Amino acid sequence: MQLFRDIAPCRNTILESRRSGLLVGLVPTMGALHKGHQSLIRCARENCALVAVSIFVNPTQFGPKEDYEGYPRTLPQDSQLCAAEGVDLIFAPTVETMYPSGGRTSVHVSGLTDGLCGPVRPGHFDGVATVVTKLFQIIPADRAYFGEKDYQQLQVIRQLTRDLNIPIDIVACPTVRDDDGLALSSRNAYLSDSQRKQALSLSRALFTAVRQADSGEHNVEVLTAGIRAEISAAGPAEIEYVDIVDASTLERLTTIDRDARICLAVRIGACRLIDNVAVDAP
Ligand code: AMP
């Protein structure tokens, strides 16, 4: 496994592999790798001849009061996990390498970023869209793998690859959860034991809502009220949003009359958790 810190040698290695006909898969991450990332890597490994993982805690997608400084950075352990999973190449640049001029150019995807996490995290999706576009230039893969855990991000990236004619197939991978239902996240490390127990209310409430929708309850207000009540009953939490949206456009629905996604963001203590589940059209 090769570890690249610089752009040119990394890009050249990818281009050489593609010239020799290898199918290249990219898994972009911010590191602190867990089983969620591992599932993306395994999916890439099964389908691609060369697997590249990028590890970069991207400052431009964090707000001024967010956890950029404290975000877990565990490159030695991440490298071990990647090596064990048969990753061929890690790209782990510094901030100076990625933004030598401080980052004067940015990619904005409108519409999809208006709701859900968009208003709560101004500038976040511009940071994500810009860094992913840059990674796609540095690692011109055939396929790139993203988790449904970050559903809005996934839709934003699908849109930007279409709009900017980037010839990379975006592959979505299902959310990996702990046995008790909690969606894996690098930020779960911030939770105390009791907060972690409380956080189980999120997936529990989402799965309850899916069951209700499957048995005919399609009223969004009723479903989201149930989710809010279940989360509030579990302990002190700040519910940022609970929304049911069109699965492609992310437009807010009042009735589930098409494929939809139930999405939420909740703060428990210092930890901001997001989760989402699919609801099929009735
Ligand atoms: P991050 O390192 O948090 O930026 O995530 C890197 C990639 O891993 C993104 O595409 C995430 O959606 C994906 N990911 C993170 N957590 C999970 C999870 N629990 N299940 C599946 N994919 C995940």
Side-chain angles (χ1 to χ4, degrees):
M1 187 177 73
Q2 289 178 287
L3 171 66
F4 290 101
R5 292 288 197 175
D6 295 321
I7 291 171
C10 178
R11 190 161 192 276
N12 288 336
T13 302
I14 300 294
L15 290 174
E16 256 170 47
S17 304
R18 291 203 53 177
R19 269 196 295 272
S20 54
L22 299 183
L23 194 79
V24 175
L26 167 65
V27 181
T29 81
M30 296 206 300
L33 302 181
H34 50 65
K35 285 182 181 155
H37 301 109
Q38 192 178 35
S39 76
L40 269 54
I41 293 171
R42 287 191 177 171
C43 189
R45 185 69 288 167
E46 273 170 29
N47 295 289
C48 302
L50 185 140
V51 175
V53 173
S54 65
I55 297 179
F56 179 58
V57 184
N58 174 38
T60 69
Q61 68 189 71
F62 288 79
K65 292 190 184 138
E66 293 184 356
D67 57 341
Y68 173 67
E69 297 296 339
Y71 196 86
R73 289 164 172 83
T74 58
L75 188 58
Q77 294 93 311
D78 293 349
S79 303
Q80 276 177 14
L81 183 145
C82 287
E85 293 298 327
V87 168
D88 299 289
L89 172 170
I90 294 179
F91 176 57
T94 62
V95 173
E96 291 68 34
T97 299
M98 286 299 273
Y99 299 107
S101 63
R104 279 176 285 210
T105 304
S106 124
V107 178
H108 175 72
V109 178
S110 62
L112 288 170
T113 55
D114 290 348
L116 303 176
C117 291
V120 195
R121 304 188 71 189
H124 167 68
F125 288 111
D126 290 359
V128 170
T130 305
V131 81
V132 169
T133 304
K134 283 166 71 66
L135 288 169
F136 286 173
Q137 306 306 312
I138 297 165
I139 304 180
D142 297 279
R143 294 180 183 167
Y145 295 79
F146 293 88
E148 288 183 345
K149 160 77 170 44
D150 300 274
Y151 192 77
Q152 189 174 16
Q153 168 175 288
L154 171 66
Q155 295 307 104
V156 165
I157 290 162
R158 281 180 164 148
Q159 189 70 47
L160 83 84
T161 51
R162 281 196 296 267
D163 289 347
L164 300 179
N165 306 99
I166 298 174
I168 297 183
D169 288 336
I170 304 303
V171 184
C173 303
T175 300
V176 177
R177 299 176 180 279
D178 265 335
D179 292 342
D180 54 16
L182 184 68
L184 295 183
S185 163
S186 307
R187 289 189 169 101
N188 292 354
Y190 302 150
L191 293 168
S192 68
D193 288 350
S194 65
Q195 287 172 334
R196 197 187 171 288
K197 270 196 199 117
Q198 190 187 336
L200 298 179
S201 62
L202 274 61
S203 52
R204 207 169 51 228
L206 286 171
F207 292 136
T208 304
V210 171
R211 279 196 300 275
Q212 288 172 328
D214 286 346
S215 14
E217 179 57 79
H218 297 134
N219 184 309
V220 166
E221 220 176 287
V222 172
L223 293 168
T224 54
I227 294 170
R228 284 174 174 275
E230 179 139 17
I231 294 170
S232 301
E238 185 197 329
I239 300 175
E240 277 184 4
Y241 65 79
V242 180
D243 274 334
I244 304 187
V245 296
D246 179 297
S248 322
T249 65
L250 305 186
E251 276 160 350
R252 214 182 242 160
L253 302 178
T254 51
T255 305
I256 300 181
D257 54 3
R258 62 194 96 169
D259 285 348
R261 209 87 198 177
I262 314 180
C263 302
L264 55 75
V266 176
R267 282 181 186 278
I268 297 180
C271 189
R272 182 176 186 274
L273 299 160
I274 58 171
D275 201 349
N276 69 86
V277 288
V279 188
D280 296 331

